[in-house]
Amino acid sequence: MEAYFDNSATTKCYDEVKDIVMKTMMEDYGNPSAMHQKGVEAEQYIKEATERIAKTLKASEKEIYFTSGGTESNNWALMGAAMANRRAGKRIITTVIEHPAVSEPVRFLEEQGFDVVRLSVDRQGLVSMEELEQALTPETIVVSTMFVNNEIGAVEPVEAIGKLVHEKCPKALYHVDAIQAYGKYEIYPKKMNIDLMSVSGHKIHGPKGVGFLYISEKVRINPLILGGGQQKGMRSGTDNVPGIAGLGAAAQKVYGQLEANRAHLYGLKRYFAEQLQSLDEVIIHGMPVDEGAPQIINAAFLGIGSEVLLHTLEDRGIYISAGSACSTHKRSKSPTLTAIHAPKETLDCSVRFSFAEDNTKEQIDYTMTVLREVLPVLRRYRAH
Amino acid sequence: MEAYFDNSATTKCYDEVKDIVMKTMMEDYGNPSAMHQKGVEAEQYIKEATERIAKTLKASEKEIYFTSGGTESNNWALMGAAMANRRAGKRIITTVIEHPAVSEPVRFLEEQGFDVVRLSVDRQGLVSMEELEQALTPETIVVSTMFVNNEIGAVEPVEAIGKLVHEKCPKALYHVDAIQAYGKYEIYPKKMNIDLMSVSGHKIHGPKGVGFLYISEKVRINPLILGGGQQKGMRSGTDNVPGIAGLGAAAQKVYGQLEANRAHLYGLKRYFAEQLQSLDEVIIHGMPVDEGAPQIINAAFLGIGSEVLLHTLEDRGIYISAGSACSTHKRSKSPTLTAIHAPKETLDCSVRFSFAEDNTKEQIDYTMTVLREVLPVLRRYRAH
């Protein structure tokens, strides 16, 4: 049996995504900037994808800008917002548990002279609203938090954060890294006080190499990539029609079955968590099962190095992650686990299981059978 | 009959490209940063693509960095080189006929205080070596020119430019926008004195949304997009495995048949040019047919607005470009035609035909038949 439980790293494309990518590579392959019919046809795919995505957010089509993925979206949002507003102030507020696609651009901006505040989180991974309130000075121009943490599935109080940001600092922009949340939650930026929001295609069964940045029509940021003036001059470069069309198809499908998917994911998560809790020396990190994100369980198997467990499971066809797996082969300690003050003995032996709608209870049964078999063996070699 | 003559705007994907894109979307869909087998498999595609591309350039695999396309490659090369070397000097030298993906980042850098020199070109579109020599002061940090001009197919003396740059300014980096040249010419950056070179996938029958930047191992530039540290920290973001694998397949195929393709393209171009020259009031811009790029003919049909001709031909299934068609629906006068001092009466009535290997003489015969029929009709409405 095979059990791919690394869906927060990347997902398999939907068939509908494959079909539209094929069609736009081989038949309707025009350049949307071309004035002739083949350009107009290609542009139609962009328009349709934009409509599909805007609908999932109850947003205007003018607020969707396509990028090469979540990392570019995050970079653009942070650099673009900081640069556009640098005369209004220098403070950027973020958290200690951001993905490197946020924390690295923030570090760069800090080197350029911006004043960065990194909010701490509690043991569940939730941002402190008190710390945020104190940090929100009149010089604050950008606040950036995750929606769902990629390592432990903590779900941040985005709507409340946005409300506080806008009340205390009407000029500050609130950016949300929603890469692990889009496709799992209803997200309505206007209602939730979000000004900028980053999304990636390949986390929702869409193509790799494409994502979008939601930019509220009320705000203005600088472009990151300049050139031929595509996307209203905000993101130049020949539109990636297959990627964009594929992303639109994935967004439509995932939001068409959102509640059923979520129920299925929580069913799997609960089922797995219950059985994990029946094992000795297993600690599940983060929020209570029903409050954390539906697709992520992060658990420590005490005494077993996370990479050892990862490779043991992959030999049995079970694919999981040690660390966030979004950083390239990093072996350093997880910043999220450190930030939530996870018990020291869990830091080197925590792994992430992340589910998608095509995972089954049978795969979890199989995984439990394997775990019950291998854990005692692996613990024989435990380091003391 | 259909005749797609807008291949410099974008091309149809090769079947081989489609196949590998499909496979990496639906089967080998892992995240190359994952530590398990599915990650390793995915990484193997990146490695293979890198090898295939490096081979076409006689370059080291360490010198190939994947991007979201030609525009990002150009932005990264210019911004990254300028920022990495800003303490060594402030001068950037470019030309008046660059694509907006170069001229716009250069304009941005100029606004940030860099000192920009834009070299003029002669009536064929060739950069003046005398002007370049004068412009190369000790403060020069970057020189950026095209290899093949996208509008008129002028082929710049890249090797000689690079030689002069390195002789007069050993610290300056020479960047080449090779987006219209890669796949048409043997390009060996080491031999040709190129430090940085931008390439796009979708101009060579590869996927849209992917390209690469060649960075000589001797030079250092700053990254543009920060995050998880993929590609040795130089370009973060989950690797676009399908795009990269597709680009590798396209590069291998196009260079496997380079001479045959080029002979075919020159055959089409010569055949078309001869017949165009037999028509009244047609002026072909740029270099002599056999010296300009094999795939591009830019011709003025005096008295007929370029958009009028474009739409007339598209009604007959012939797809061409008015302007470069790489900028989004721009209607302003072509900077390249202005720069080469093209006769005033040609500026509003020039169109670009751009060929690919799957175009045929029959398509050109058909186009000539259509032109002979429509030109007299269209000229009846000529504005005086």
Side-chain angles (χ1 to χ4, degrees):
Chain A
M1 183 177 274
E2 189 172 286
Y4 181 74
F5 289 156
D6 201 13
N7 289 285
S8 289
T10 196
T11 58
K12 183 177 168 180
C13 284
Y14 287 137
D15 282 329
E16 292 86 342
V17 170
K18 176 198 70 179
D19 292 342
I20 203 165
V21 167
M22 280 306 82
K23 193 148 194 283
T24 46
M25 284 177 75
M26 303 307 289
E27 292 172 39
D28 300 335
Y29 57 84
N31 185 328
S33 297
M35 273 187 259
H36 51 67
Q37 190 53 33
K38 289 208 183 291
V40 175
E41 274 165 24
E43 202 179 17
Q44 195 52 42
Y45 284 92
I46 310 278
K47 232 180 132 181
E48 187 183 32
T50 310
E51 283 166 10
R52 287 172 164 186
I53 291 164
K55 213 173 147 191
T56 67
L57 303 172
K58 296 190 181 171
S60 156
E61 286 141 35
K62 288 177 294 189
E63 298 177 312
I64 310 301
Y65 295 84
F66 295 102
T67 67
S68 68
T71 292
E72 184 191 325
S73 295
N74 280 331
N75 273 258
W76 179 17
L78 291 159
M79 310 262 205
M83 291 307 169
N85 297 292
R86 65 185 186 278
R87 284 191 189 82
K90 287 284 186 188
R91 175 162 285 196
I92 297 171
I93 301 174
T94 180
T95 83
V96 291
I97 58 163
E98 297 304 309
H99 187 281
V102 166
S103 61
E104 287 298 309
V106 166
R107 193 187 48 71
F108 171 82
L109 290 166
E110 194 171 24
E111 289 166 9
Q112 306 302 309
F114 286 88
D115 159 37
V116 174
V117 177
R118 292 174 182 84
L119 306 175
S120 67
V121 295
D122 65 16
R123 282 172 188 274
Q124 297 195 346
L126 298 178
V127 170
S128 157
M129 296 298 285
E130 291 71 34
E131 260 185 57
L132 172 63
E133 184 155 15
Q134 285 173 8
L136 283 166
T137 56
E139 289 72 39
T140 304
I141 53 170
V142 182
V143 177
S144 181
T145 79
M146 306 179 119
F147 197 124
V148 165
N149 175 270
N150 55 312
E151 291 189 65
I152 59 167
V155 183
E156 301 301 335
V158 162
E159 188 167 347
I161 294 172
K163 191 161 176 274
L164 183 58
V165 169
H166 290 156
E167 277 170 9
K168 276 206 69 175
C169 299
K171 278 185 305 188
L173 301 185
Y174 181 37
H175 168 250
V176 172
D177 171 354
I179 290 167
Q180 297 290 350
Y182 185 76
K184 307 294 186 297
Y185 290 92
E186 283 98 353
I187 309 176
Y188 304 130
K190 271 187 195 54
K191 180 173 169 288
M192 299 174 95
N193 312 304
I194 297 170
D195 299 306
L196 301 161
M197 188 171 82
S198 301
V199 170
S200 160
H202 73 104
K203 310 288 191 190
I204 60 160
H205 310 278
K208 289 184 177 65
V210 68
F212 69 82
L213 181 64
Y214 163 88
I215 307 178
S216 161
E217 50 193 336
K218 282 184 285 185
V219 315
R220 204 179 57 79
I221 70 171
N222 288 8
L224 182 66
I225 294 182
L226 306 169
Q230 287 86 352
Q231 302 199 64
K232 293 167 265 167
M234 290 296 284
R235 206 297 189 178
S236 289
T238 297
D239 298 305
N240 174 4
V241 185
I244 292 168
L247 173 54
Q252 185 179 49
K253 177 158 175 171
V254 77
Y255 273 94
Q257 56 195 33
L258 186 71
E259 284 177 44
N261 282 354
R262 199 160 46 193
H264 177 67
L265 292 172
Y266 272 125
L268 293 176
K269 185 182 177 185
R270 213 175 293 125
Y271 184 68
F272 190 39
E274 277 162 16
Q275 295 186 68
L276 283 180
Q277 278 152 349
S278 74
L279 299 176
D280 288 336
E281 301 189 285
V282 173
I283 295 173
I284 298 179
H285 295 293
M287 300 173 81
V289 169
D290 287 328
E291 294 173 30
Q295 78 274 28
I296 294 173
I297 289 191
N298 193 311
F301 295 81
L302 299 181
I304 303 171
S306 42
E307 287 187 38
V308 173
L309 184 58
L310 180 147
H311 292 304
T312 304
L313 293 186
E314 82 168 323
D315 286 343
R316 311 298 186 95
I318 301 164
Y319 302 101
I320 62 169
S321 162
S324 82
C326 283
S327 299
T328 168
H329 305 301
K330 73 168 174 196
R331 277 148 211 281
S332 55
K333 293 218 194 313
S334 149
T336 301
L337 294 182
T338 308
I340 64 170
H341 300 290
K344 216 172 171 184
E345 68 272 23
T346 67
L347 294 183
D348 288 325
C349 50
S350 295
V351 296
R352 179 186 71 184
F353 301 82
S354 53
F355 305 123
E357 62 205 67
D358 53 355
N359 288 133
T360 62
K361 282 198 170 180
E362 288 66 37
Q363 290 175 323
I364 288 180
D365 289 336
Y366 170 67
T367 303
M368 287 307 303
T369 305
V370 170
L371 283 174
R372 286 198 180 91
E373 183 194 326
V374 303
L375 293 179
V377 182
L378 295 173
R379 285 213 175 94
R380 273 189 224 145
Y381 307 104
R382 182 200 298 242
H384 290 284
Chain B
M1 183 177 274
E2 191 172 286
Y4 181 75
F5 290 156
D6 200 13
N7 289 286
S8 290
T10 196
T11 57
K12 182 177 169 182
C13 284
Y14 286 137
D15 282 329
E16 292 86 343
V17 170
K18 176 197 70 177
D19 293 342
I20 202 164
V21 168
M22 282 304 84
K23 195 149 194 285
T24 46
M25 285 178 74
M26 304 306 289
E27 292 172 38
D28 300 335
Y29 57 83
N31 184 326
S33 297
M35 272 186 260
H36 51 67
Q37 190 52 35
K38 288 208 182 293
V40 175
E41 275 166 24
E43 202 179 17
Q44 196 51 43
Y45 284 92
I46 310 279
K47 231 179 132 180
E48 188 183 30
T50 310
E51 284 166 12
R52 286 173 164 185
I53 291 165
K55 213 174 147 191
T56 67
L57 303 173
K58 296 190 181 171
S60 157
E61 286 141 35
K62 289 178 293 188
E63 298 176 311
I64 310 300
Y65 295 84
F66 295 102
T67 67
S68 67
T71 292
E72 184 191 325
S73 295
N74 280 331
N75 273 258
W76 178 17
L78 292 159
M79 310 261 205
M83 291 307 167
N85 298 293
R86 65 185 184 278
R87 284 191 190 84
K90 288 284 186 188
R91 174 162 285 195
I92 297 171
I93 301 174
T94 180
T95 83
V96 290
I97 58 162
E98 297 303 310
H99 187 281
V102 165
S103 60
E104 288 297 309
V106 166
R107 194 188 46 74
F108 171 82
L109 290 166
E110 193 172 26
E111 288 165 11
Q112 307 302 309
F114 287 87
D115 158 37
V116 174
V117 177
R118 292 174 182 84
L119 306 175
S120 66
V121 295
D122 66 15
R123 283 171 187 273
Q124 299 195 344
L126 298 178
V127 170
S128 156
M129 297 297 286
E130 290 71 34
E131 262 184 58
L132 172 63
E133 184 155 16
Q134 285 175 4
L136 284 166
T137 57
E139 289 73 37
T140 303
I141 54 172
V142 182
V143 177
S144 181
T145 78
M146 305 179 121
F147 197 123
V148 166
N149 176 270
N150 55 312
E151 292 188 64
I152 58 168
V155 183
E156 301 301 334
V158 162
E159 188 167 348
I161 295 172
K163 189 159 177 277
L164 183 57
V165 169
H166 290 156
E167 277 170 8
K168 275 206 69 175
C169 298
K171 278 185 306 188
L173 301 184
Y174 180 36
H175 168 250
V176 172
D177 171 353
I179 291 169
Q180 297 291 351
Y182 185 77
K184 308 294 186 297
Y185 289 92
E186 284 98 352
I187 309 177
Y188 305 130
K190 272 188 195 56
K191 179 172 169 288
M192 298 173 97
N193 312 302
I194 297 170
D195 298 305
L196 301 162
M197 187 173 81
S198 301
V199 170
S200 161
H202 73 103
K203 310 289 192 192
I204 59 160
H205 309 277
K208 290 184 176 64
V210 69
F212 70 83
L213 181 63
Y214 163 88
I215 306 178
S216 161
E217 51 193 336
K218 282 185 284 183
V219 314
R220 205 178 57 80
I221 69 170
N222 288 7
L224 182 67
I225 294 183
L226 307 168
Q230 287 86 351
Q231 301 198 65
K232 293 167 265 166
M234 289 298 283
R235 205 299 190 177
S236 290
T238 296
D239 298 304
N240 175 5
V241 184
I244 291 168
L247 173 54
Q252 186 180 50
K253 178 158 173 169
V254 77
Y255 274 94
Q257 56 196 33
L258 187 72
E259 283 177 46
N261 282 353
R262 199 160 47 194
H264 177 65
L265 292 172
Y266 272 125
L268 293 176
K269 185 181 176 185
R270 211 174 296 124
Y271 185 66
F272 191 38
E274 277 163 16
Q275 295 187 66
L276 283 179
Q277 278 153 348
S278 74
L279 299 176
D280 287 336
E281 300 189 283
V282 173
I283 294 174
I284 298 179
H285 295 294
M287 300 172 80
V289 169
D290 287 327
E291 294 174 30
Q295 78 272 32
I296 295 173
I297 289 191
N298 193 312
F301 295 81
L302 298 182
I304 303 171
S306 42
E307 288 188 37
V308 172
L309 184 58
L310 180 147
H311 291 304
T312 304
L313 293 186
E314 82 168 322
D315 287 342
R316 311 297 185 98
I318 301 165
Y319 303 100
I320 62 168
S321 162
S324 83
C326 282
S327 300
T328 170
H329 304 303
K330 72 167 175 194
R331 276 149 213 280
S332 55
K333 292 216 194 316
S334 150
T336 301
L337 293 183
T338 308
I340 63 170
H341 301 288
K344 217 170 171 187
E345 67 274 23
T346 67
L347 294 183
D348 289 324
C349 51
S350 295
V351 296
R352 180 186 70 183
F353 300 81
S354 53
F355 305 123
E357 62 205 67
D358 53 355
N359 288 134
T360 62
K361 282 199 171 181
E362 288 67 37
Q363 290 174 324
I364 287 178
D365 290 336
Y366 170 67
T367 303
M368 287 307 302
T369 305
V370 171
L371 283 173
R372 287 198 179 91
E373 183 194 324
V374 302
L375 293 179
V377 182
L378 294 174
R379 286 214 175 94
R380 271 190 227 144
Y381 306 105
R382 180 199 301 242
H384 288 284

